[in-house]
Amino acid sequence: MIVICGATATGKSRLALELAKRLKSVILSADSRQVYREFNIGTAKPTSLEQELVSHYLIDICTPTEIMTVADYQEQAQAIIQFPFLLVSQDTPLLLVGGTGLYIHGITRGIKIPKVPRNTELRTQLKSMDQTQLYMILQQVDPIATGKIHPNDRLRTIRALEVFYVTGYPISMQQGENPPTFPILHVGLDCDAVSINRRITERTQCMIANGLVAEVEDLCVKYGVNLSLLNTLGYREIKQYLNGEISLKQAEEKIIIHTRQFAKRQRTWFRANSEVEWFGADTPDLLDSVWQRIQDFILTT
C-alpha cells in the first residue's frame, strides 16, 4: 500500500491521480467528509471526470443523515483491502489518500476501535456533570484509560464512559493495534506557510466560483439547517452568509482563516508520524521524485 497524506490543499489528490494512472491502480479515499453523498464542492471531492480516469473507493458511501464513525470506515476499507485482486492485479499497490489521520491510522496501524455508536441520552446525562466528576468516575471504572486521557480532555472522557456504560467493558480493554502484514510506504506532502496560504486562498475562491453557495443552499433546503455536517468547515461559513449574518466576502475570509488553522493541526498530526517520508508539494519534479521512490519500494518489498 502507498499512503499519500498531508495537510489540506497540498495537492494530495492531484498527485495520487497521476500515480494511480501510472500504476494502473485505484484510490481509497481517507477523508472523513468525502464519505458523504451530496457534499461535493466544499469537501474538494474528486470530480466525475477524475473518478472516470481512476476508480475511487470509500467516497459517497453514506447519506448526510448517517454518522460514519472511524470504526465504520475501517470496516468498509478493510473489506476492500482484503480482496485487492478484485480491483487490480495481485502485485499492484493500492493508494490510500487523504488528510484524515485517524482514518489512515485505522488502516495502516490496525487500531482497534470499539464499535459503539453515540448514545445521545447517555451523553446528555454525562454532559450535565462537570469534568472533575466525570474523570473521577473514569478513574474508578477504567484507571488504564485515565493514564492516556488528560484530566481536562472532556470529549475523550465522555467517550470512554460512554463505551463503558454501553458495553459493560472498559474502553482500554477494547483498544490496541493489529497492524497489517503487507508493506506500506508513507508519502507526505508539505510546503511552507506562504505557499499553503496561497493554495488555501485559491482553492476557497475556486469553490465559491464553482457553486459552493448553491450547494449549501440546496443542502439546507433538503436536510435542514441543523444538519451536523453543515456546521463543518466551509459549509458553516456559507450558512452564516445565507442567514444574512455576514457578507459573502466575509464568509470567504472566514473559510480561509479556518482552513489555515485546520491545515496547521493536520500538519502537526502527520509530522508526529516518523514513518512518513516528506516531499515538497511545490517541487518541480515532485511526481518523478515520488514515482522513483515508489519504484524502489516495490523492488525491495
Side-chain angles (χ1 to χ4, degrees), residues 62-125:
C62 60
T63 67
T65 55
E66 294 178 279
I67 295 177
M68 171 65 71
T69 66
V70 178
D72 293 330
Y73 170 84
Q74 187 182 48
E75 182 178 5
Q76 295 213 29
Q78 289 177 339
I80 294 173
I81 295 167
Q82 187 175 0
F83 302 103
F85 54 86
L86 296 177
L87 310 178
V88 295
S89 64
Q90 187 74 32
D91 299 323
T92 301
L94 299 176
L95 287 159
L96 181 65
V97 184
T100 302
L102 273 177
Y103 276 17
I104 293 174
H105 278 184
I107 304 307
T108 61
R109 296 186 179 181
I111 55 175
K112 298 176 183 177
I113 305 166
K115 195 170 182 180
V116 178
R118 294 185 179 184
N119 187 309
T120 304
E121 184 178 349
L122 176 58
R123 286 195 172 205
T124 300
Q125 294 177 27

Side-chain angles (χ1 to χ4, degrees), residues 91-195:
D91 299 323
T92 301
L94 299 176
L95 287 159
L96 181 65
V97 184
T100 302
L102 273 177
Y103 276 17
I104 293 174
H105 278 184
I107 304 307
T108 61
R109 296 186 179 181
I111 55 175
K112 298 176 183 177
I113 305 166
K115 195 170 182 180
V116 178
R118 294 185 179 184
N119 187 309
T120 304
E121 184 178 349
L122 176 58
R123 286 195 172 205
T124 300
Q125 294 177 27
L126 293 173
K127 287 178 180 179
S128 68
M129 304 169 65
D130 65 49
Q131 177 60 17
T132 301
Q133 290 177 296
L134 293 175
Y135 199 75
M136 287 178 62
I137 296 173
L138 185 60
Q139 286 178 318
Q140 295 174 10
V141 301
D142 192 354
I144 296 176
T146 57
K148 301 176 181 179
I149 299 174
H150 192 276
N152 295 332
D153 192 337
R154 186 170 177 82
L155 185 64
R156 293 180 66 198
T157 302
I158 288 176
R159 176 57 177 168
L161 288 172
E162 179 182 44
V163 170
F164 173 75
Y165 285 119
V166 170
T167 66
Y169 296 95
I171 192 172
S172 60
M173 289 179 58
Q174 304 179 56
Q175 293 176 321
E177 294 185 357
N178 183 25
T181 56
F182 52 79
I184 301 173
L185 172 65
H186 296 258
V187 172
L189 295 186
D190 199 11
C191 51
D192 60 43
V194 173
S195 180

Side-chain angles (χ1 to χ4, degrees), residues 38-39 41 211-225 230 234-235 238-243:
E38 302 177 71
F39 279 71
I41 299 173
L212 179 58
V213 173
E215 177 171 285
V216 177
E217 195 167 24
D218 290 344
L219 289 167
C220 286
V221 171
K222 188 171 182 179
Y223 296 103
V225 296
L230 287 170
Y235 293 90
I238 295 300
K239 192 171 70 168
Q240 288 179 300
Y241 159 66
L242 292 172
N243 289 339

